[in-house]
Amino acid sequence: MILSGRGVSAVLGPTNTGKTHFAIERMVAHGSGMIGLPLRLLAREVYTRVVERVGVKNVALVTGEEKISPPNARFSVCTVEALPRETKAAFVAIDEIQLAGDLERGHIFTDRLLHLRGREETLLLGSATMKSILLQLLPGITIVERPRLSQLFYAGQKKITRLPQRTAIVAFSADEVYAIAELIRRQRGGAAVVLGALSPRTRNAQVGLYQEGDVEYLVATDAIGMGLNLDVDHVAFAQDRKFDGYQFRNLNSGELGQIAGRAGRHIKDGTFGVTGRVNPFDDELVERLETHVFDPVKVLQWRTAQFDYSSIAGLQRSLDAVPRIEGLTRALPATDQQALEFLSRYPEIADIADRPERVEKLWEACALPDYRRITPAQHADLIQSLYFDLVRRGTVNEDFLADQVRRADRTDGEIDTLSARIAQIRTWTYVSNRPGWLADPTHWQEKTREIEDRLSDALHERLTKRFVDRRTSVLMKRLRENAMLEAEISVNGDVFVEGHAMGQLSGFRFTPISGMEGPDAKAVEAAAHRALALEFEARAARLHASGNGDLAIGSDGLVRWVGDPVARLVGTDHILHPRVIVLADEQLTGAARDHVAARIERFVNHHISTVLKPLDDLSRAEDLQGLAKGLAFQLVENLGVLFRRDVADDVKSLDQDGRASMRRYGVRFGAYHIFMPALLKPAPAELITLLWALKHDGLDKPGYGDLIPVLAAGRTSVVTDASYERMFYKLAGFRFLGKRAVRIDILERLADLIRPLLQWKPGSNARPDGAYDGRRFVTTTAMLSILGATPDDMEEILKGLGYRADSVSAEEAAAFLAAHKPSASETAEAAKPEADTVDDADQPAVDAEPEPAVSEPAAEAAAPENVTVAEEGVAGAEPADAAEPKPVLLWRPGGRNDNQRPAGRPAGDRRGANHGQRAAAGDGQATGEPRGDNRRDNRRPDGRRDQPEGGRGKFAGKGERQDRGDRKDRGPRPERDANKSQPARFEAKPPRKEKPVDPDSPFAKLAALKEQMKK
């Protein structure tokens, strides 16, 4: 074989030397010509440029899958595989000739550069590494070397998230490309994706995203190294190994230089580097890439073009021929030769390929590209089906073709599914473009082209949706253009910038939507804030002029304006005056921020003073003096509730004038508490709980806010939860009494029911319901009803209040009550109204004031199980058929000598499991621990003796005082005898000195009413 290079010119050089542009200019200067390109995508680009120069009617596009052939076309743009081996065109150009050394496609390039010539001019374009081999194979060839128009510099290693804009990131597997693109979407707004497996239409659309500036990053395989003209400033290698169809190997310096050379356009310099897990390039490699000095190509891949079609075996022998010229090497078996090897083993193929024309037809069928990347055996099966149709029918069975095309004609699914369908339809596009293979090729060419375009568009949409944040990309493009962004805010606070949702504006805080990260996201957020500056000022003005109805304080301590949080409350030393912290972005500054803060503070102070008006008025009271002023201060500090035992001495010392002055501010002196009934409502209780939680960091403590719904529901008592912060019960208006908590005002009503039972004296008048012997009482249905409690709960409540129980048998209680039935005259006397003139200056009696307006449940309370005498008015009579009636519990106030046995009673006759147990210490909860005989056991934690709630622990009748524990002042103690039912006798003490009665006191009014009724 004698080859010649006469009339052949080779323009060699690195990337960005203008070689392709020079070839186009030379071609259009001739009357006819053709140019061969390595990629269908690049062929499309060059076709568009030539059409712009000479018109669409003068240019043809010929690839394996696409043909555009105007009748009088003078110029042809083809892939190298579509170039003929001979032509009459005046001009021929072959681009990227260094691919002649490629193991997979090299033999095609070698054959064309050795044999295809133009009548007037032949132009070879490629890398300078081809210079020596061209001079060797084509003596007489003209070599023109062109320098690079711009410089290329090494930029080292950088993280993917720190790569500059207009960067192309190169990887060599689809999985790696997708992973990098996903990371860039989250961090930098999005990336275009270019893979060799994508259809040309999809790749063009993705490249368009990058070229038009919708995204700043391109993630691609080495497909971008083949002549794609991109505005790339930096190329980053995320991988430096690839699978070349036979093995995984490192890229050589020439391949790296081909890809890195995409950085920089025309006279603009470019940079390259590494990223991800790729080690930095060594100095020698960097120097080669920067100076474009690479190892020369020493051999070209070659395969014979003279095939023996006499038989399949003869064809295989011809394919195994070796070149006789130095510089060429026999190519490895390509896809077509591998398919032939498989088909030659099929007996039915050997039988049908019995003459040269059929062997030639078999070799033509084996040229079908494996777009689907399936196994050689599967690909051979498809070729076999097509070959049988071509031999037996003359054309491919169109029913079979229609079925295959129909399966691919679906645009649902994700990226991988659509890519597989595109590969399948590309197979049938190739079949439809083969001459003589179909009866109606035009129809199927149009059909398959339409489906491929539709699938390509769907794939582009999926790629864009997955790897491009359109919102961020558009906004970043506008920022690069230094354009003023247009912001719009919907009625519900959604912020739209340039028509894209950016986040939510709540009050004076802008919250960007999720997914915006990285420096680009910060720039977009800053732009959104700039666009919202006017909105912040307008909102500040509206808030400053808004009414109190537009503002509210939530249980979380946030102040909300028309539903949006605008401030947060923080506790201070003064519990009723929390500090206000405005919740606003930095854009709210100056006078606008001051106006917002001042308006919110005014609202908070007004809200607290309105909801807690009784407490606020008491804190500002100027007419209180002495002890009254000190007691009022303590009441304010304790948010409206004091345990009377804690201030018993102060209450005792407080005169009637001081009491009257405090009553005018809504203070009630109860048996167990000093409190303000107006605060025992849901709204004040909720605010009080919040203020306490703010000061004591209690918003996250267990039980916060859980008791307010109980209060709002009208519950008078509730089962306690050990995990709750105990203070929350008091703040909500409940007294914690062991296993149950009772509303404070209900406990005072309980005291009103118990007081007459302990004030009643046997023989004085009719026995009230529940009274026993003047010192003790039994629980009644009325008590259970107001408490909403069971008999067992009642025991816990009374123990918590300091009462102690004596246990007697049901027979003994029945006999005692039967012996003390009142006469008719006593019953009539009891029916008369009697004024209560008890002065609470000395006794823990409940003031006769109106009850607080708190709802009560109308539930029917069950009768206590430990009382058996129903006919005498005692609640909870035991059924007559009960086998063993339970003992009756007789309740009495506990004292410091409570554990001493009454005289004459045997030690073993003290019944009741809870008899003689201690009362709660400090908070009123019964401990259940037995009290010993040691006097120290009777002491409370504060050192005083254990006494009933509400002062000294004794209830007294008119003109009388009960025993206070001082034996020398007490009357004779009655003897208790279990065998006697006679009532005990009591000796009254001398009447105490009368004190002047406060004319404003309700007791004075009751006394006057009594005197009027007697008259």
Side-chain angles (χ1 to χ4, degrees), residues 5 7-13 19 22 92 94 97 113 121-128 130-135 138 140-146:
V8 179
S9 298
V11 179
L12 307 179
K19 297 186 295 294
F22 174 74
V92 169
I94 304 174
I97 59 171
L113 71 87
E121 182 179 0
T122 301
L123 191 62
L124 305 179
L125 312 173
S127 171
M130 292 290 292
K131 179 178 179 180
S132 59
I133 192 67
L134 289 178
L135 290 174
L138 301 175
I141 189 173
T142 302
I143 302 293
V144 178
E145 296 189 69
R146 295 171 66 102

Side-chain angles (χ1 to χ4, degrees), residues 916-929:
Q917 294 180 352
R918 294 184 61 186
D923 61 358
Q925 179 183 4
T927 63
E929 298 177 1

Side-chain angles (χ1 to χ4, degrees), residues 419-440:
S419 298
R421 291 184 188 140
I422 289 176
Q424 185 176 359
I425 199 66
R426 288 180 70 185
T427 300
W428 303 113
T429 301
Y430 179 89
V431 170
S432 66
N433 281 278
R434 297 302 295 168
W437 279 28
L438 296 177
D440 188 4

Side-chain angles (χ1 to χ4, degrees), residues 669-865:
F669 294 85
Y672 311 118
H673 310 89
I674 311 299
F675 67 105
M676 307 183 79
L679 301 180
L680 301 182
K681 297 180 180 179
E686 182 177 13
L687 184 55
I688 286 172
T689 303
L690 172 63
L691 295 176
W692 183 90
L694 291 175
K695 184 176 180 180
H696 298 88
D697 296 328
L699 292 178
D700 297 328
K701 291 184 178 180
Y704 172 73
D706 293 336
L707 297 171
I708 304 303
V710 176
L711 181 64
R715 299 278 299 277
T716 57
S717 67
V718 62
V719 177
T720 58
D721 190 325
S723 64
Y724 286 4
E725 171 70 31
R726 188 167 297 183
M727 187 63 182
F728 290 146
Y729 287 98
K730 180 181 177 183
L731 298 171
F734 288 87
R735 178 69 175 269
F736 189 94
L737 297 172
K739 296 181 180 179
R740 204 160 187 89
V742 184
R743 216 167 64 196
I744 289 173
D745 58 327
I746 298 302
L747 286 178
E748 300 304 334
R749 294 185 59 184
L750 176 65
D752 293 343
L753 295 177
I754 294 175
R755 186 185 300 109
L757 307 185
L758 296 177
Q759 290 176 346
W760 174 79
K761 302 301 178 184
S764 60
N765 51 22
R767 180 178 61 82
D769 184 18
Y772 189 74
D773 56 4
R775 295 183 304 109
R776 296 172 293 183
F777 66 92
V778 296
T779 57
T780 65
T781 302
M783 297 178 188
L784 298 175
S785 178
I786 64 171
L787 293 174
T790 65
D792 292 338
D793 295 335
M794 193 67 186
E795 289 186 33
E796 293 289 339
I797 293 170
L798 290 176
K799 289 175 187 176
L801 292 174
Y803 292 95
R804 301 294 176 263
D806 296 330
S807 178
V808 299
S809 65
E811 294 81 0
E812 181 181 353
F816 180 85
L817 294 176
H820 293 82
K821 280 189 177 181
S823 62
S825 60
E826 291 174 341
T827 303
E829 182 66 20
K832 294 181 180 180
E834 182 177 1
D836 186 0
T837 59
V838 176
D839 189 351
D840 66 346
D842 296 319
Q843 303 295 338
V846 179
D847 298 329
E849 297 176 344
E851 294 295 332
V854 182
S855 60
E856 302 173 10
E860 187 69 22
E865 298 176 357

Side-chain angles (χ1 to χ4, degrees), residues 772 776 807-809 811-813 815-816 819-820 903-906 909 911 975-984:
Y772 189 74
R776 296 172 293 183
S807 178
V808 299
S809 65
E811 294 81 0
E812 181 181 353
F816 180 85
H820 293 82
R905 188 172 186 85
D909 197 26
R911 302 180 178 90
E975 296 293 328
R976 301 176 182 173
D977 190 349
N979 299 323
K980 296 181 181 181
S981 59
Q982 296 297 326

